[in-house]
């Protein structure tokens, strides 16, 4: 006997759930249709066969950034700085120094805007203004973008058309200002391919990193820029994508 559904008898709640599901599926389908573009990196990246970690520093530059750059130099370690446009305008010489010393400069928007609480135009403007501030300081636009708080929806990722970098490990240095805690946290979560979130706006973080870098190197980790980590397997960088580590198994 063929199955006949009398829609009048379908409970209202079921109709609502089905309707919501249909909307979600349609939205997911539309998002998938937005093309993902390959980004040509304007610099060469190295093949890394040893264990590698990317230390990333957000929200700066700040007054502690020169000391961090000294520490990185001393240990021949490379890092990535996701700077805000506002602080780049305040300390352009620190951003230029980091760039000249071989570190990667990424955009963290102009004013640390929360994508979840802002209109699309506000987010877009803040990203563009951040890129312009960086370009003024170092002479080139950044390729990578980190959304403040890691807040970005799938549709925003696609429509903003940038290469987004998140993290596989948060040092929690923004929450617990204790250098022993941050040091322990870095060492206990260190893993090949990790991208570690830190902030060079905090003295406790710089103190922790000063102790952690030689220890990590002692354990055989190479400290590299995010672009080197993400392309170590021969992958190309794509816009509209969110990168959290160099492997998918984090
Ligand atoms: Ni931030």
């Amino acid at each position: 006997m063929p199955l006949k559904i009398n829609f009048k008898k379908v409970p209202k709640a079921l109709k609502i759930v089905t309707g919501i599901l249909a909307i979600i599926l349609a939205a997911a389908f539309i998002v998938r249709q937005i093309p993902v573009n390959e980004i040509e990196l304007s610099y060469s990246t190295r093949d890394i066969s040893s264990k590698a970690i990317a230390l990333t520093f957000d929200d700066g530059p700040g007054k502690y950034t020169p000391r961090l750059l000294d520490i990185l130099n001393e240990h021949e370690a490379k890092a990535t700085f996701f700077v805000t446009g506002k602080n780049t305008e305040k300390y352009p010489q620190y951003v230029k120094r980091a760039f000249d010393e071989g570190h990667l400069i990424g955009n963290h928007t102009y004013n640390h805007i929360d994508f979840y609480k802002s209109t699309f135009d506000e987010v877009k403007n803040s990203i563009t203004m951040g890129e312009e501030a960086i370009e003024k300081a170092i002479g080139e636009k950044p390729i990578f973008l980190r959304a403040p708080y890691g807040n970005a929806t799938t549709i925003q990722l696609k429509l903003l058309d940038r290469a987004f970098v998140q993290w596989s490990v948060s040092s929690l240095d923004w929450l617990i200002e204790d250098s022993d805690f941050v040091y322990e946290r870095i060492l206990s979560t260190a893993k090949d391919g990790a991208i570690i979130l830190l902030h060079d706006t905090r003295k406790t973080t710089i103190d922790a990193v000063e102790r952690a870098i030689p220890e990590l190197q002692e354990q055989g980790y190479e400290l590299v820029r995010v672009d080197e980590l993400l392309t170590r397997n021969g992958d190309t960088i794509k816009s509209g994508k969110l990168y959290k580590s160099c492997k998918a198994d984090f």
Side-chain angles (χ1 to χ4, degrees), residues 31-216:
V31 170
R32 279 181 69 111
Q33 302 311 304
I34 302 170
V36 169
N37 302 309
E38 266 184 28
I39 296 177
E40 285 275 332
L41 294 177
S42 56
Y43 32 76
S44 61
T45 53
R46 294 181 299 127
D47 277 339
I48 302 160
S49 49
S50 56
K51 290 197 293 181
I53 283 178
L55 300 180
T56 62
F57 296 92
D58 284 18
D59 297 0
K63 58 182 174 181
Y64 306 116
T65 306
R67 196 181 137 218
L68 173 62
L69 291 171
D70 290 344
I71 293 165
L72 293 167
N73 267 345
E74 194 189 320
H75 298 285
E76 292 180 16
K78 294 288 178 253
T80 302
F81 291 84
F82 287 100
V83 297
T84 65
K86 231 177 186 173
N87 284 337
T88 298
E89 286 177 353
K90 203 172 167 190
Y91 303 107
Q93 70 278 23
Y94 297 167
V95 180
K96 178 79 168 76
R97 183 185 155 191
F99 176 75
D100 287 344
E101 291 178 2
H103 305 291
L104 181 66
I105 309 298
N107 187 13
H108 198 40
T109 75
Y110 183 79
N111 55 351
H112 209 268
I113 194 169
D114 187 339
F115 290 17
Y116 287 172
K117 294 177 183 166
S118 313
T119 66
F120 189 72
D121 278 348
E122 286 168 346
V123 171
K124 229 173 145 183
N125 282 341
S126 188
I127 290 172
T128 308
M129 283 172 69
E131 287 171 344
E132 285 168 358
I134 291 169
E135 189 176 21
K136 214 174 152 194
I138 66 171
E140 61 182 57
K141 278 203 170 124
I143 287 175
F144 295 94
L145 175 72
R146 175 171 281 166
Y149 319 100
N151 287 354
T153 63
T154 309
I155 187 102
Q156 284 172 330
L157 293 180
K158 289 263 189 169
L159 292 176
L160 290 166
D161 199 25
R162 303 291 195 285
F164 284 79
V165 176
Q166 208 158 330
W167 52 86
S168 56
V169 173
S170 171
S171 65
L172 301 178
D173 64 339
W174 53 274
L175 185 67
I176 300 167
E177 284 200 66
D178 178 287
S179 78
D180 285 341
F181 172 84
V182 177
Y183 167 78
E184 293 293 339
R185 173 96 183 143
I186 294 171
L187 289 183
S188 63
T189 55
K191 189 176 172 181
D192 182 37
I195 296 175
I196 303 185
L197 168 68
L198 295 148
H199 297 82
D200 55 325
T201 46
R202 289 165 193 269
K203 187 181 175 295
T204 43
T205 300
I206 314 296
D207 292 341
V209 165
E210 186 170 31
R211 292 162 60 203
I213 287 178
E215 184 63 40
L216 290 171

